[in-house]
Amino acid sequence: MSDDLGPGVIYTEHADLKAGTKIASLWSYESAVRGRGRKAVALNQDRNPEYWLERSDPLLNTILPGTPVSVVVNLDALWAVGRSLATSSLVPRVSVVGPVTQKRIVRPGPRVGAIGAVLPATLAMKAFGVPASELVDRIVPLDDLWTRQETTRLLDDLVAAPARDQMIALRDAVLSRIELRGQD
């Protein structure tokens, strides 16, 4: 008899890495197999909360309405997003999700590996060079807002790094943009 309960996804909120910054949330999703001893909610070694999600969980499969702006980096199988299957489209590997006025359905790939940084809408101009109002209900490739070189460098840094270092690299890239534009 196996000790595994089946495939799912671990959602981690990296509270320790965002503390003291202007970032509202740093998060990651990672495919995993749930062992018998795995609780639905647990603290990891860095004392950050981890949540076990079934593949059908709305937290994994829905973008809810809200005003924040997010940078999302998909490090595994591509996802599709849309209000229906007919209107779904693939999400760019590195993208910016603007404020959302209506929930959207997310269709993750067979394996999930993604990280993200959530910012208050008031920081969109500093982080991306456009006001949040231009990003409403849009998912935009990051290299449309940053230079292709910056986006490529970020993705290269993330792909080669261990999980915690990926979160630090994403946080630092976003914060450096905010601080750079803050000096204009």
Side-chain angles (χ1 to χ4, degrees), residues 63 68-70 81 83 95-101 104 130-141 144-145:
I63 299 174
V69 177
S70 301
V81 171
R83 289 192 183 96
S95 58
V96 174
V97 179
V100 177
T101 61
R104 295 171 87 178
V130 297
S133 60
E134 289 187 24
L135 299 171
V136 172
D137 290 326
R138 294 180 61 207
I139 298 176
V140 178
D144 284 1
L145 303 171

Side-chain angles (χ1 to χ4, degrees), residues 6-26:
V9 175
I10 296 174
Y11 165 73
T12 305
E13 180 63 38
H14 300 271
D16 66 320
L17 295 178
K18 74 155 186 93
T21 72
K22 296 178 180 184
I23 294 174
S25 174
L26 280 170

Side-chain angles (χ1 to χ4, degrees), residues 44-64:
N44 67 15
Q45 66 186 14
D46 298 313
R47 309 290 302 156
N48 290 314
E50 291 184 340
Y51 304 89
W52 175 262
L53 305 175
E54 300 297 331
R55 292 281 306 193
S56 60
D57 194 297
L59 183 59
L60 177 63
N61 296 293
T62 311
I63 299 174
L64 295 172

